[in-house]
């Protein structure tokens, strides 16, 4: 079996995790729900003030990633002595589960009808403490057997682009502007209400590019180019930030695809050495691109 990608929604050693889930977690579902409702309320107090709106929508809509990360950090730093009575048993159940060998980690994937989702996977129990980030009428916390939740891995960069277009009304183009980053960040994305970005810099997507020997990246880089005007606007910003941009889309496409082949042939060791430098350059490129804001979609 292939090793797990970062945040991949898949269970390793499923039989053992199911036994531990049934023994430690399922008898305490009401207490676990109370625990995560308490953590969510605490997170809301901070996050709603820090980011009252995202991509033109009021908090918590669209803030699944931020909420899930905040709850993961809150669990790590939690003082059980400060929990309300109803949540104490939930924390104790999680502690017993982990002490017995149960695994818990944050996962990210595609859920039919709800797009890309972040959640906590504890054994075989999926804990979605940001359920209302796609539909404000839903309760914030849902505890669902993983087998019934329908959370699946994003298959490749083409799948990611299709999901982004559906979920965020994004316009997605191949990254022919900055070939040096294209094997890891093969997409240029314009999300209404946000900025132009090179994608995908999620740990899962970066690792997926490597595991596919960069064939996932090459498939989207072979797509038709962005308009000349957009290429020029993005290229000018990145050039001013010190990046070596392609002269035009045709040159950038050829160079990007050639790098994918080179990275494929270089093997794992070279990819490991390149990974951190790529992350640093990608963060710098996206910081520079923040000046290119995308108009929000009109209401209604």
């Amino acid at each position: 079996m292939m090793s797990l990608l970062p945040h991949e929604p898949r269970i390793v050693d499923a039989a053992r995790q199911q036994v531990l889930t049934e023994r430690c977690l399922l008898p305490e579902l009401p207490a676990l729900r109370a625990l995560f409702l308490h953590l969510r309320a605490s997170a809301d107090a901070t996050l709603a003030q820090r980011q009252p709106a995202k991509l033109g929508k009021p908090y918590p809509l669209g803030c699944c990633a931020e909420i899930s990360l905040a709850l993961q950090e809150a669990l790590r730093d939690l003082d059980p002595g400060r929990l309300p009575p109803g949540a104490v048993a939930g924390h104790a159940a999680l502690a017993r589960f982990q002490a017995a060998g149960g695994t818990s980690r944050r996962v990210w994937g595609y859920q039919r009808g709800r797009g890309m989702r972040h959640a906590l996977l504890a054994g075989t129990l999926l804990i979605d403490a940001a359920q209302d980030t796609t539909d404000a009428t839903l309760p914030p916390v849902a505890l669902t057997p993983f087998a019934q939740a329908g959370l699946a891995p994003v298959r490749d960069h083409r799948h990611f682009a299709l999901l982004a277009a559906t979920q965020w009304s994004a316009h997605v183009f191949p990254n022919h502007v900055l070939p040096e980053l294209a094997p890891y960040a093969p997409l240029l994305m314009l999300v209404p209400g946000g900025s132009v970005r090179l994608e995908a810099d999620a740990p899962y997507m970066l690792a997926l590019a490597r595991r596919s020997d960069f064939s996932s990246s090459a498939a989207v880089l072979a797509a038709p180019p962005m308009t000349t005007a957009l290429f020029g606007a993005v290229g000018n910003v990145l050039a001013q930030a010190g990046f070596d941009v392609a002269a035009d889309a045709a040159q950038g496409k050829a160079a990007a695809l050639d790098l994918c082949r080179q990275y494929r042939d270089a093997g794992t060791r070279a990819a490991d050495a390149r990974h951190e430098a790529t992350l640093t350059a990608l963060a710098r490129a996206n910081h520079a691109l923040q000046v290119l804001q995308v108009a929000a979609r009109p209401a209604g």
Side-chain angles (χ1 to χ4, degrees):
M1 179 180 291
M2 289 186 293
S3 60
L4 280 173
L5 296 178
H7 306 150
E8 182 178 356
R10 181 161 59 89
I11 300 171
V12 176
D13 194 13
R16 182 171 184 240
Q17 294 304 313
Q18 179 65 27
V19 168
L20 293 173
T21 301
E22 292 176 356
R23 180 187 303 164
C24 302
L25 300 182
L26 297 189
E28 298 290 350
L29 286 181
L32 283 168
R33 183 172 283 104
L35 170 65
F36 282 94
L37 284 170
H38 167 74
L39 295 175
R40 172 63 193 276
S42 299
D44 284 347
T46 301
L47 294 177
Q49 185 175 26
R50 182 187 305 163
Q51 190 175 27
K54 182 178 180 181
L55 301 179
K57 298 179 180 179
Y59 181 89
L61 293 175
C63 294
C64 180
E66 294 86 347
I67 292 171
S68 296
L69 179 59
L71 264 60
Q72 183 186 45
E73 293 173 347
L75 273 175
R76 183 190 62 210
D77 302 331
L78 188 62
D79 177 3
R82 304 184 67 177
L83 287 173
V88 171
H91 181 266
L94 269 179
R96 288 195 301 272
F97 169 76
Q98 291 171 337
T103 60
S104 60
R105 59 190 181 89
R106 195 159 57 97
V107 294
W108 173 79
Y110 162 67
Q111 195 171 33
R112 184 174 297 277
R114 302 190 65 208
M116 291 177 278
R117 304 290 303 161
H118 297 258
L120 179 70
L121 181 59
T124 60
L125 183 67
L126 190 73
I127 303 171
D128 184 348
Q131 188 180 221
D132 54 340
T133 58
T134 52
D135 182 348
T137 66
L138 293 174
V141 175
L143 284 69
T144 311
F146 179 74
Q148 298 175 20
L151 190 69
V154 174
R155 297 188 297 273
D156 51 34
H157 285 82
R158 182 172 292 165
H159 189 204
F160 178 86
L162 290 171
L163 291 171
T166 302
Q167 186 168 345
W168 303 319
S169 301
H171 300 280
V172 188
F173 305 94
N175 171 19
H176 298 154
V177 182
L178 197 55
E180 67 178 272
L181 295 184
Y184 283 97
L187 300 170
L188 183 83
M189 188 176 299
L190 286 69
V191 180
S195 62
V196 175
R197 286 183 56 82
L198 292 172
E199 296 285 2
D201 62 352
Y204 175 88
M205 296 304 297
L206 290 167
L208 180 63
R210 292 174 58 183
R211 189 167 77 180
S212 73
D213 288 332
F214 300 97
S215 63
S216 178
S217 300
V220 292
L221 288 166
M226 67 189 80
T227 65
T228 303
L230 178 59
F231 186 97
V234 173
N236 285 339
V237 169
L238 291 174
Q240 290 172 16
F243 287 96
D244 184 14
V245 302
D248 54 39
Q251 183 193 79
K253 179 178 182 177
L257 290 171
D258 186 56
L259 273 179
C260 286
R261 288 188 289 269
Q262 290 182 39
Y263 286 10
R264 175 199 65 198
D265 296 340
T268 302
R269 183 173 299 178
D272 289 340
R274 194 187 308 112
H275 194 79
E276 289 303 319
T278 299
L279 283 174
T280 301
L282 182 54
R284 189 164 65 88
N286 279 330
H287 179 75
L289 288 171
Q290 287 178 4
V291 301
L292 295 178
Q293 292 293 310
V294 184
R297 295 179 67 192

